Amino acid sequence: IFAANYTPDFSAAPTDTQLFSLTGAGGLSQLTGNRQSADGWCWCGGILIQWGTITFGGSGSSHKTGTVTFQQTGGTRTGCPPFPNACFVVIPGLQIDSTSTTTASNTIAIRDKSTTQFRYVYNSSSSSGSDDYPGFYWTAIGY
């Protein structure tokens, strides 16, 4: 295991210190990346993993839609690359307010995805749905 400066292979990528190891076949495997608590990304070998949080904002609503862009030039995921080849999957998970006592049915779905973004749709059987469920966490995996 060793550390080295590494610049990901995409336009305007920042150089960062990364942790590497040698594989059994003598290849190189990257073990670390940009790790932020709420939003971040990392290369694990040849796989790119990205994660983040979305806050719906505004007053309660039973329906919300939006678009999340993978590459960012500001915020906690600055320098986060788009997927160079493919995004395999985006996995969403609803947040629930700690004081919520709702019994509403709520769903979050990924409408479509590409190498640069994904779109989501949130629906609730309650008109105050986004007050009880203020947003969602997401994880995207690709290469």
Side-chain angles (χ1 to χ4, degrees):
I1 295 178
F2 59 95
N5 283 336
Y6 172 73
T7 302
D9 187 18
F10 68 95
S11 175
T15 299
D16 199 0
T17 302
Q18 303 292 311
L19 186 62
F20 296 90
S21 71
L22 294 176
T23 67
L28 186 64
S29 178
Q30 183 178 353
L31 302 175
T32 57
N34 179 338
R35 295 180 182 215
Q36 301 287 333
S37 58
D39 296 310
W41 58 277
C42 74
W43 285 99
C44 294
I47 300 296
L48 176 59
I49 301 172
Q50 299 189 38
W51 59 90
T53 57
I54 299 299
T55 301
F56 294 135
S59 61
S61 172
S62 61
H63 181 76
K64 300 275 186 180
T65 62
T67 301
V68 175
T69 302
F70 293 127
Q71 186 172 11
Q72 289 193 349
T73 56
T76 58
R77 291 189 323 115
T78 295
C80 181
F83 291 97
N85 298 298
C87 176
F88 298 132
V89 65
V90 177
I91 306 160
L94 280 172
Q95 299 172 2
I96 187 168
D97 184 87
S98 61
T99 61
S100 175
T101 57
T102 185
T103 58
S105 296
N106 299 276
T107 59
I108 183 77
I110 303 306
R111 186 172 185 180
D112 55 41
K113 61 183 174 38
S114 71
T115 58
T116 59
Q117 67 182 22
F118 70 88
R119 294 189 307 161
Y120 64 86
V121 176
Y122 164 75
N123 287 299
S124 174
S125 64
S126 168
S127 62
S128 65
S130 62
D131 289 336
D132 294 325
Y133 293 85
F136 68 97
Y137 304 102
W138 61 269
T139 303
I141 303 170
Y143 77 107

